[in-house]
PDB file of all heavy atoms in Angstrom:
ATOM      1  N   GLN A  39      22.322   1.572  -2.395  1.00  0.00           N
ATOM      2  CA  GLN A  39      21.091   0.920  -2.017  1.00  0.00           C
ATOM      3  C   GLN A  39      20.459   0.203  -3.216  1.00  0.00           C
ATOM      4  O   GLN A  39      20.819   0.443  -4.367  1.00  0.00           O
ATOM      5  CB  GLN A  39      20.081   1.940  -1.477  1.00  0.00           C
ATOM      6  CG  GLN A  39      20.615   2.834  -0.365  1.00  0.00           C
ATOM      7  CD  GLN A  39      21.131   4.136  -0.911  1.00  0.00           C
ATOM      8  OE1 GLN A  39      21.613   4.207  -2.040  1.00  0.00           O
ATOM      9  NE2 GLN A  39      21.054   5.177  -0.105  1.00  0.00           N
ATOM     10  N   GLU A  40      19.499  -0.642  -2.891  1.00  0.00           N
ATOM     11  CA  GLU A  40      18.696  -1.259  -3.946  1.00  0.00           C
ATOM     12  C   GLU A  40      17.437  -0.416  -4.134  1.00  0.00           C
ATOM     13  O   GLU A  40      16.691  -0.179  -3.184  1.00  0.00           O
ATOM     14  CB  GLU A  40      18.318  -2.687  -3.559  1.00  0.00           C
ATOM     15  CG  GLU A  40      17.420  -3.367  -4.578  1.00  0.00           C
ATOM     16  CD  GLU A  40      16.964  -4.736  -4.130  1.00  0.00           C
ATOM     17  OE1 GLU A  40      17.550  -5.261  -3.171  1.00  0.00           O
ATOM     18  OE2 GLU A  40      16.012  -5.274  -4.737  1.00  0.00           O
ATOM     19  N   VAL A  41      17.220   0.056  -5.344  1.00  0.00           N
ATOM     20  CA  VAL A  41      16.066   0.897  -5.647  1.00  0.00           C
ATOM     21  C   VAL A  41      15.103   0.122  -6.535  1.00  0.00           C
ATOM     22  O   VAL A  41      15.500  -0.494  -7.521  1.00  0.00           O
ATOM     23  CB  VAL A  41      16.502   2.196  -6.360  1.00  0.00           C
ATOM     24  CG1 VAL A  41      15.285   3.065  -6.675  1.00  0.00           C
ATOM     25  CG2 VAL A  41      17.501   2.964  -5.509  1.00  0.00           C
ATOM     26  N   SER A  42      13.850   0.136  -6.171  1.00  0.00           N
ATOM     27  CA  SER A  42      12.833  -0.546  -6.966  1.00  0.00           C
ATOM     28  C   SER A  42      11.591   0.331  -7.021  1.00  0.00           C
ATOM     29  O   SER A  42      11.408   1.235  -6.204  1.00  0.00           O
ATOM     30  CB  SER A  42      12.485  -1.913  -6.364  1.00  0.00           C
ATOM     31  OG  SER A  42      11.963  -1.768  -5.053  1.00  0.00           O
ATOM     32  N   GLY A  43      10.747   0.078  -7.984  1.00  0.00           N
ATOM     33  CA  GLY A  43       9.528   0.851  -8.097  1.00  0.00           C
ATOM     34  C   GLY A  43       8.620   0.312  -9.170  1.00  0.00           C
ATOM     35  O   GLY A  43       8.967  -0.616  -9.906  1.00  0.00           O
ATOM     36  N   ASP A  44       7.437   0.880  -9.234  1.00  0.00           N
ATOM     37  CA  ASP A  44       6.484   0.481 -10.267  1.00  0.00           C
ATOM     38  C   ASP A  44       5.483   1.608 -10.471  1.00  0.00           C
ATOM     39  O   ASP A  44       5.344   2.512  -9.644  1.00  0.00           O
ATOM     40  CB  ASP A  44       5.772  -0.826  -9.898  1.00  0.00           C
ATOM     41  CG  ASP A  44       5.015  -0.743  -8.577  1.00  0.00           C
ATOM     42  OD1 ASP A  44       4.083   0.082  -8.455  1.00  0.00           O
ATOM     43  OD2 ASP A  44       5.358  -1.505  -7.653  1.00  0.00           O
ATOM     44  N   ILE A  45       4.790   1.542 -11.577  1.00  0.00           N
ATOM     45  CA  ILE A  45       3.695   2.453 -11.873  1.00  0.00           C
ATOM     46  C   ILE A  45       2.580   1.632 -12.492  1.00  0.00           C
ATOM     47  O   ILE A  45       2.837   0.711 -13.279  1.00  0.00           O
ATOM     48  CB  ILE A  45       4.139   3.610 -12.803  1.00  0.00           C
ATOM     49  CG1 ILE A  45       2.992   4.599 -13.008  1.00  0.00           C
ATOM     50  CG2 ILE A  45       4.688   3.103 -14.130  1.00  0.00           C
ATOM     51  CD1 ILE A  45       3.433   5.893 -13.662  1.00  0.00           C
ATOM     52  N   ALA A  46       1.344   1.930 -12.079  1.00  0.00           N
ATOM     53  CA  ALA A  46       0.206   1.119 -12.507  1.00  0.00           C
ATOM     54  C   ALA A  46      -0.974   2.013 -12.855  1.00  0.00           C
ATOM     55  O   ALA A  46      -1.124   3.114 -12.315  1.00  0.00           O
ATOM     56  CB  ALA A  46      -0.202   0.137 -11.410  1.00  0.00           C
ATOM     57  N   VAL A  47      -1.805   1.522 -13.752  1.00  0.00           N
ATOM     58  CA  VAL A  47      -3.107   2.124 -14.029  1.00  0.00           C
ATOM     59  C   VAL A  47      -4.153   1.083 -13.659  1.00  0.00           C
ATOM     60  O   VAL A  47      -4.112  -0.052 -14.149  1.00  0.00           O
ATOM     61  CB  VAL A  47      -3.253   2.520 -15.510  1.00  0.00           C
ATOM     62  CG1 VAL A  47      -4.638   3.110 -15.764  1.00  0.00           C
ATOM     63  CG2 VAL A  47      -2.170   3.519 -15.902  1.00  0.00           C
ATOM     64  N   VAL A  48      -5.060   1.447 -12.747  1.00  0.00           N
ATOM     65  CA  VAL A  48      -6.080   0.511 -12.273  1.00  0.00           C
ATOM     66  C   VAL A  48      -7.463   1.064 -12.587  1.00  0.00           C
ATOM     67  O   VAL A  48      -7.658   2.282 -12.696  1.00  0.00           O
ATOM     68  CB  VAL A  48      -5.941   0.248 -10.763  1.00  0.00           C
ATOM     69  CG1 VAL A  48      -4.619  -0.445 -10.453  1.00  0.00           C
ATOM     70  CG2 VAL A  48      -6.064   1.534  -9.960  1.00  0.00           C
ATOM     71  N   SER A  49      -8.409   0.168 -12.710  1.00  0.00           N
ATOM     72  CA  SER A  49      -9.772   0.595 -13.031  1.00  0.00           C
ATOM     73  C   SER A  49     -10.437   1.287 -11.855  1.00  0.00           C
ATOM     74  O   SER A  49     -11.351   2.103 -12.028  1.00  0.00           O
ATOM     75  CB  SER A  49     -10.608  -0.607 -13.476  1.00  0.00           C
ATOM     76  OG  SER A  49     -10.674  -1.591 -12.447  1.00  0.00           O
ATOM     77  N   SER A  50      -9.974   0.984 -10.629  1.00  0.00           N
ATOM     78  CA  SER A  50     -10.526   1.609  -9.430  1.00  0.00           C
ATOM     79  C   SER A  50      -9.581   1.353  -8.259  1.00  0.00           C
ATOM     80  O   SER A  50      -8.958   0.287  -8.185  1.00  0.00           O
ATOM     81  CB  SER A  50     -11.920   1.043  -9.113  1.00  0.00           C
ATOM     82  OG  SER A  50     -12.512   1.731  -8.042  1.00  0.00           O
ATOM     83  N   TYR A  51      -9.470   2.315  -7.337  1.00  0.00           N
ATOM     84  CA  TYR A  51      -8.661   2.141  -6.144  1.00  0.00           C
ATOM     85  C   TYR A  51      -9.568   1.663  -5.018  1.00  0.00           C
ATOM     86  O   TYR A  51     -10.320   2.441  -4.427  1.00  0.00           O
ATOM     87  CB  TYR A  51      -7.975   3.454  -5.773  1.00  0.00           C
ATOM     88  CG  TYR A  51      -7.279   3.442  -4.423  1.00  0.00           C
ATOM     89  CD1 TYR A  51      -6.803   2.253  -3.861  1.00  0.00           C
ATOM     90  CD2 TYR A  51      -7.080   4.616  -3.708  1.00  0.00           C
ATOM     91  CE1 TYR A  51      -6.170   2.240  -2.634  1.00  0.00           C
ATOM     92  CE2 TYR A  51      -6.437   4.623  -2.483  1.00  0.00           C
ATOM     93  CZ  TYR A  51      -5.994   3.429  -1.949  1.00  0.00           C
ATOM     94  OH  TYR A  51      -5.365   3.419  -0.720  1.00  0.00           O
ATOM     95  N   ILE A  52      -9.522   0.379  -4.730  1.00  0.00           N
ATOM     96  CA  ILE A  52     -10.328  -0.181  -3.661  1.00  0.00           C
ATOM     97  C   ILE A  52      -9.408  -0.637  -2.529  1.00  0.00           C
ATOM     98  O   ILE A  52      -8.314  -1.144  -2.762  1.00  0.00           O
ATOM     99  CB  ILE A  52     -11.201  -1.362  -4.156  1.00  0.00           C
ATOM    100  CG1 ILE A  52     -10.352  -2.457  -4.805  1.00  0.00           C
ATOM    101  CG2 ILE A  52     -12.256  -0.864  -5.117  1.00  0.00           C
ATOM    102  CD1 ILE A  52     -11.151  -3.680  -5.220  1.00  0.00           C
TER     103      ILE A  52
END
Side-chain angles (χ1 to χ4, degrees):
Q39 308 95 330
E40 177 185 346
V41 180
S42 61
D44 59 61
I45 184 168
V47 178
V48 296
S49 60
S50 186
Y51 171 26
I52 56 176

